[in-house]
């Protein structure tokens, strides 16, 4: 503890040189254990949040500082946990998502660069460490609350003790069934894609860089990262992809593999226990206009037969739908967030929400083109609105699952708050006087 004043002088001197090129004297605004938070950290995050269109009714810089304080506590704990890791691919994916939000807010890449007064490459470089810490803290939060559960008796007790104005309002919910048809890809087109991938494999085996080939040719989201998808277990991968990936040795390239997403060639990057890190080149056969028209017409004819009561929707789904997740359930769609059949308008796929919003009960839509969220393939779909529950105050009989999830969230928040309070008392924390009047959510930051 006695060495802190000397340490502060060194840190102030070092950090002061960091921003010298911008003629800004940086300063330490907080210390959490052995970690520092700089004024520039606060200013940069403030700019980032404004660039994403984030606003606040309070003092945003005070809120940002408290987020940093909590983050430093979580990161310090995460870095001591060997089971918590962050890969470069995870950082890149998060970074790309943030940059997309910037572009959505400002409109163009040049406008983003003008706002931050630096090129995109430098913006990304500056973001890397902050994103790494953000991912570590997220994993640490999940670990802290992973064993928190609620029982039915707890849910009932919590609900009965809510004041009338505390009972949540459940937004309008929709239940629907669907039938999907995937346009047929011509054999000639599939052969073209497989031949192209075999040619790329030969080029790699003759010395070309797999990563460079992935950037040029892959149609998957990992193309920009040289095809690397990060460490994955078998259950996280398409079965055909997993089978090929786990059998690879050294830097050998697989034969062409067909998955639900298209065709791949795969190269092993690394193995760690039951997980593999691979890079791949994904190519998707193109669907012809004629095949799209044929799929549309087939689905349109099927919808007309259902409307005329010549076949029941449930039977048609079981016999003709391409969607394996719903065809054996009469076409009924399950909300992956709640595992119930109820969706709020925000939880619906965008293409589906536009259709359902104007439908009557038991009405069947016209066929529409959309993307299968599971395999990213083009499909045609018809939907039937099976139920619509108008917005209402929650009750135990009809909204138990929603009430249980809300109470579980509350318990997890309380568990996390208790953890933060305990770490506050065990950790050296110093905050600059310029933030002494901040209205923090947690007490005891300033001791």
């Amino acid at each position: 503890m006695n060495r802190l004043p000397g340490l502060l002088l060194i840190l102030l001197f070092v950090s002061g040189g960091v921003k010298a090129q911008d003629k800004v004297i940086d300063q330490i605004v907080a210390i959490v254990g052995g970690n520092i938070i700089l004024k520039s950290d606060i200013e940069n995050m403030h700019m980032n949040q404004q660039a994403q269109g984030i606003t606040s009714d309070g003092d945003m810089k005070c809120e940002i500082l408290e987020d940093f304080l909590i983050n430093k506590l979580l990161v310090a704990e995460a870095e001591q946990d060997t089971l918590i890791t962050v890969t470069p691919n995870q950082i890149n994916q998060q970074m790309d998502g943030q940059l997309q939000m910037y572009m959505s807010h400002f409109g163009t890449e040049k406008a983003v660069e003008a706002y931050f007064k630096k090129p995109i490459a430098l913006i990304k470089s500056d973001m890397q460490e902050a994103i790494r810490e953000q991912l570590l803290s997220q994993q640490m939060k999940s670990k802290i609350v992973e064993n928190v559960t609620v029982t039915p008796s707890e849910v009932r007790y919590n609900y009965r003790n809510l004041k009338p104005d505390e009972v949540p309002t459940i937004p309008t919910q929709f239940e629907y069934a669907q039938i999907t048809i995937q346009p047929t890809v011509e054999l000639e087109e599939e052969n073209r894609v497989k031949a192209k991938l075999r040619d790329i494999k030969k080029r790699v085996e003759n010395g070309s860089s797999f990563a460079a080939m992935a950037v040029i040719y892959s149609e998957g989201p990992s193309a920009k990262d040289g095809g690397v998808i990060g460490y994955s277990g078998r259950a996280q991968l398409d079965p055909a992809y997993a089978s090929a990936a786990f059998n690879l040795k050294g830097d050998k390239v697989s034969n062409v593999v067909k998955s639900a997403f298209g065709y791949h060639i795969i190269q092993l990057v690394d193995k760690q226990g039951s997980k593999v890190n691979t890079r791949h080149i994904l190519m998707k056969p193109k669907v012809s206009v004629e095949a799209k028209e044929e799929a549309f017409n087939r689905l349109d004819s099927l919808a007309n037969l259902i409307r005329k009561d010549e076949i029941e929707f449930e039977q048609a789904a079981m016999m003709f739908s391409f969607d394996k997740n719903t065809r054996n359930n009469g076409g009924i769609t399950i909300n992956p967030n709640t595992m119930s059949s109820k969706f709020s308008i925000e939880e619906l796929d965008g293409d589906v929400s536009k259709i359902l919003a104007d439908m009557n009960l038991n009405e069947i839509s016209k066929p529409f083109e959309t993307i299968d969220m599971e395999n990213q393939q083009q499909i045609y779909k018809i939907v039937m609105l099976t139920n619509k529950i108008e917005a209402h105050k929650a009750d135990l009989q009809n909204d138990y699952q929603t009430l249980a999830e809300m109470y579980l969230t509350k318990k997890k928040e309380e568990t996390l708050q208790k953890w933060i309070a305990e770490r506050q008392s065990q950790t050296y924390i110093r905050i600059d006087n310029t933030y002494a009047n901040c209205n923090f959510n947690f007490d005891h930051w300033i001791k």
Side-chain angles (χ1 to χ4, degrees), residues 176-181 296 298-304 306-307 313 316 321 331 333 352 355 359 363-368 370 380-384:
Y176 74 99
Q178 66 178 24
I179 297 173
T180 68
I181 287 183
F296 178 95
R298 280 177 60 202
L299 201 49
D300 193 37
S301 297
L302 185 60
N304 284 329
I306 298 169
R307 292 187 191 104
F313 194 102
S321 184
T333 306
V352 172
I355 303 293
M359 288 180 67
E363 182 182 353
I364 298 166
S365 74
K366 292 183 179 296
F368 58 96
T370 186
Y380 282 90
K381 180 183 291 191
I382 56 172
V383 295
M384 177 173 69

Side-chain angles (χ1 to χ4, degrees), residues 1 45 54 61 157 235-236 278 293 300 304 352 369 407 424:
M1 297 289 280
M45 184 57 72
I54 298 171
K61 290 186 180 179
Y157 179 83
Q236 296 170 275
T278 55
E293 288 178 354
D300 193 37
N304 284 329
V352 172
E369 185 178 355
Y407 184 51
Q424 278 181 315

Side-chain angles (χ1 to χ4, degrees), residues 141-265:
K141 282 182 189 176
S142 297
K143 185 159 188 177
I144 292 165
V145 301
E146 65 183 353
N147 295 319
V148 178
T149 58
V150 294
T151 64
S153 60
E154 283 181 306
V155 176
R156 288 193 295 270
Y157 179 83
N158 180 71
Y159 175 76
R160 287 167 183 157
N161 283 275
L162 291 174
K163 296 174 183 176
D165 61 346
E166 292 176 336
V167 177
T169 297
I170 305 298
T172 300
Q173 294 176 306
F174 300 84
E175 293 180 284
Y176 74 99
Q178 66 178 24
I179 297 173
T180 68
I181 287 183
Q182 187 171 321
T184 303
V185 176
E186 294 177 3
L187 182 60
E188 183 181 348
E189 172 64 6
E190 291 197 357
N191 288 338
R192 180 192 68 80
V193 168
K194 289 189 283 187
K196 182 64 179 177
L197 283 169
R198 284 193 289 267
D199 177 63
I200 295 171
K201 177 184 177 181
K202 284 182 183 176
R203 290 167 66 181
V204 172
E205 290 171 341
N206 288 332
S208 294
S209 163
F210 192 110
M213 294 292 103
V215 171
I216 297 168
Y217 295 109
S218 184
E219 297 173 39
S222 64
K224 58 187 177 301
D225 302 314
V228 176
I229 64 170
Y231 289 94
S232 307
R234 283 185 181 271
Q236 296 170 275
L237 299 168
D238 176 274
Y241 187 104
S243 178
F246 278 88
N247 284 320
L248 286 170
K249 299 188 187 313
D251 61 353
K252 298 293 183 184
V253 179
S254 74
N255 292 324
V256 176
V257 176
K258 183 180 183 180
S259 79
F261 299 89
Y263 290 92
H264 317 248
I265 53 173

Side-chain angles (χ1 to χ4, degrees), residues 79-175:
E79 287 179 332
Q80 296 178 39
D81 193 321
T82 56
L83 297 178
I84 294 178
T85 58
V86 172
T87 66
N89 190 51
Q90 288 174 306
I91 293 172
N92 288 335
Q93 285 182 342
Q94 185 86 357
M95 189 186 306
D96 288 341
Q98 248 175 266
L99 285 172
Q100 285 303 316
M101 281 191 280
Y102 294 163
M103 295 240 245
S104 175
H105 185 68
F106 288 104
T108 66
E109 189 173 295
K110 286 187 178 179
V112 174
E113 292 179 329
Y115 177 79
F116 287 103
K117 299 179 181 177
K118 59 182 74 172
I120 288 290
L122 192 51
I123 295 171
K124 291 175 75 170
S125 176
D126 291 346
M127 288 165 63
Q128 281 191 337
E129 180 58 21
I131 289 174
R132 186 189 77 87
E133 291 194 354
Q134 180 186 7
L135 292 169
L136 283 172
S137 68
Q138 286 172 352
Q139 290 187 56
M140 193 65 230
K141 282 182 189 176
S142 297
K143 185 159 188 177
I144 292 165
V145 301
E146 65 183 353
N147 295 319
V148 178
T149 58
V150 294
T151 64
S153 60
E154 283 181 306
V155 176
R156 288 193 295 270
Y157 179 83
N158 180 71
Y159 175 76
R160 287 167 183 157
N161 283 275
L162 291 174
K163 296 174 183 176
D165 61 346
E166 292 176 336
V167 177
T169 297
I170 305 298
T172 300
Q173 294 176 306
F174 300 84
E175 293 180 284

